[in-house]
């Protein structure tokens, strides 16, 4: 964005730790070493319990805070509304904590690089510029939906494991891993906790009762929106 001769460049990164966020900030500081300011904001965790901001030399509260508000207030589209363009890596992740209906943005770092154009924007202008840059960048960024999924360990008999696995994939089940043993194939299938019973029945039906199923814990799984 260009506002009164100042250029604002929005950058988004998926991050899962404070250290990872700081590494990206340091990289951008080196890449855009000639820029006047590089304020940042990030939020981490399914409950969005960790958040940090930096104004990087701008007046206090005019850069990092509105950037964080843009992240926290972003409305992720419903599943199926947006598909990342082919070959493009998702820029950030959307987490769906327990007890919430709509996905909430988390595990994301925003940095806005500002090249000063010589005209001061004032506190209100800076707040709108930094928050608006993050919002505009989010509007064009592909998303991932991160869900807490129940894992099922599924053992398939050696004789027809390949055929059954193909049927499970065709049915749209999420297979996160596959391992061959001397007696067959062991799959790990991710299921929404509310759908685990129906998926269990689906596996039994597609394998004609030959699959052995056991709980295998839980895991956060990323899915394209």
């Amino acid at each position: 964005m260009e506002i009164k001769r100042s250029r604002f460049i929005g950058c988004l990164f998926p991050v899962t730790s404070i250290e990872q966020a700081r590494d990206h900030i340091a990289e951008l500081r080196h890449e855009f070493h000639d820029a006047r300011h590089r304020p940042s904001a990030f939020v981490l965790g399914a409950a969005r319990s960790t958040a940090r901001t930096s104004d990087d030399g701008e007046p206090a509260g005019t850069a990092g805070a509105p950037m964080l508000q843009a992240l926290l207030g972003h409305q992720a589209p419903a599943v199926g509304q947006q598909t990342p363009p082919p070959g493009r890596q998702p820029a950030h992740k959307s987490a769906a904590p327990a007890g919430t209906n709509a996905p909430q943005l988390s595990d994301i770092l925003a940095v806005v690089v500002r090249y000063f154009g010589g005209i001061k924007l004032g506190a209100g202008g800076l707040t709108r510029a930094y928050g608006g840059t993050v919002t505009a960048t989010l509007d064009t960024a592909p998303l991932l939906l991160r869900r807490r999924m129940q894992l099922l360990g599924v053992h398939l008999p050696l004789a027809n494991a390949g055929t059954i696995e193909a049927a499970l994939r065709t049915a749209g089940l999420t297979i996160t891993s596959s391992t061959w043993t001397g007696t067959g194939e062991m799959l790990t299938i991710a299921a929404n906790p509310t759908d685990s019973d129906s998926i269990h029945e689906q596996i039994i039906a597609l394998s004609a009762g030959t699959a052995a199923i056991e709980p295998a814990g839980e895991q956060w799984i990323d899915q394209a929106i």
Side-chain angles (χ1 to χ4, degrees), residues 13-146:
F13 300 91
V15 291
T16 56
S17 68
I18 293 175
E19 292 73 19
Q20 189 177 17
R22 287 173 175 168
D23 287 344
H24 282 302
I25 293 170
E27 291 169 2
L28 286 180
R29 186 178 297 277
H30 176 73
E31 180 179 354
F32 296 99
H33 60 89
D34 56 339
R36 177 71 67 89
H37 305 285
R38 295 160 295 270
S40 60
F42 62 87
V43 57
L44 303 173
R48 306 202 289 184
S49 56
T50 300
R52 300 285 190 277
T53 66
S54 169
D55 292 313
D56 194 40
E58 293 284 24
T62 62
M67 291 168 61
L68 179 61
Q69 287 304 310
L71 295 178
L72 296 178
H74 183 72
Q75 295 296 312
V79 177
Q81 283 188 342
Q82 178 182 352
T83 302
R88 185 176 180 185
Q89 293 298 315
H92 60 284
K93 299 179 179 180
S94 176
T100 61
N101 294 323
Q104 295 179 313
L105 200 63
S106 189
D107 291 348
I108 180 172
L109 162 69
V111 179
V112 175
V113 177
R114 182 190 182 189
Y115 284 92
F116 183 56
I119 300 176
K120 293 184 177 181
L121 303 182
L126 289 173
T127 297
R128 290 188 293 272
Y130 281 109
T133 299
V134 172
T135 297
T137 307
L138 285 170
D139 287 341
T140 62
L143 300 174
L144 290 176
L145 183 68
R146 175 168 289 180

Side-chain angles (χ1 to χ4, degrees), residues 186-223:
M186 177 61 73
L187 301 178
T188 302
I189 294 178
N192 285 325
T194 55
D195 299 333
S196 60
D197 289 342
S198 62
I199 289 179
H200 189 285
E201 295 173 359
Q202 193 174 11
I203 294 170
I204 293 298
L206 291 173
S207 67
T210 61
I213 307 172
E214 60 183 17
E218 295 183 341
Q219 182 178 329
W220 288 102
I221 301 294
D222 292 339
Q223 299 173 319

